[in-house]
């Protein structure tokens, strides 16, 4: 059974930081491109960041470039997203997802249940 379990979300003030984690199991994590997508209240799914299977290539949406960093540890089957300089518009549910290949779209093969990030003073 494929499982993607996100953690690390919470309530932070503007300018704050969070580190999201995603524990993966049930599929070949080290062979899979991974990504983070998010959904703000009342809006559609938005692609955030992608990382190649070996971690050597990443891509970030313009809205988060320079503030968010995606990474992975294939020895631990875990995906990460470091969120810095958070803004209120970053509020939403963050999902980790596996895709068939490296891309910059909010599409996926598997997706977790999500972790809530709320940026507010």
């Amino acid at each position: 059974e494929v499982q993607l379990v996100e953690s690390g979300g919470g309530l932070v003030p503007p300018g704050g930081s969070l580190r999201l984690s995603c524990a993966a199991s049930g599929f070949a994590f080290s062979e899979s491109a991974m990504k983070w997508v998010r959904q703000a209240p009342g809006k559609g799914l938005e692609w955030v960041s992608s990382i190649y299977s070996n971690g050597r290539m990443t891509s970030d949406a313009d809205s988060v470039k320079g503030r968010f960093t995606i990474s992975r540890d294939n020895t631990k089957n875990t995906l990460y997203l470091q969120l810095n300089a958070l803004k209120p518009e970053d509020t939403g549910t963050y999902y980790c997802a596996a895709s068939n290949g490296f891309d910059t779209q909010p599409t996926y093969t598997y997706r977790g249940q999500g972790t809530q990030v709320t940026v507010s003073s």
Side-chain angles (χ1 to χ4, degrees):
E1 178 189 5
V2 172
Q3 285 195 323
L4 293 167
V5 181
E6 302 94 338
S7 61
L11 171 63
V12 294
S17 297
L18 284 173
R19 190 192 195 204
L20 307 184
S21 299
C22 172
S25 62
F27 68 104
F29 178 80
S30 62
E31 298 175 11
S32 300
M34 298 294 294
K35 64 178 69 171
W36 289 94
V37 296
R38 67 184 180 185
Q39 187 163 26
K43 296 189 177 181
L45 208 57
E46 177 190 13
W47 168 73
V48 176
S49 297
S50 293
I51 188 166
Y52 199 64
S53 56
N54 62 11
R56 293 178 181 174
M57 181 184 296
T58 65
S59 184
D60 304 308
D62 288 343
S63 59
V64 307
K65 199 163 292 185
R67 301 189 297 120
F68 291 8
T69 303
I70 189 172
S71 62
R72 65 192 296 163
D73 185 340
N74 285 347
T75 66
K76 297 181 179 179
N77 279 10
T78 303
L79 179 72
Y80 303 99
L81 186 68
Q82 178 68 40
L83 293 71
N84 296 329
L86 281 160
K87 304 176 181 180
E89 51 264 43
D90 294 319
T91 294
T93 303
Y94 284 68
Y95 303 92
C96 75
S99 54
N100 283 332
F102 182 88
D103 64 58
T104 60
Q105 301 298 318
T107 54
Y108 51 87
T109 304
Y110 309 116
R111 194 192 77 178
Q113 293 300 306
T115 186
Q116 178 67 33
V117 171
T118 302
V119 184
S120 175
S121 55

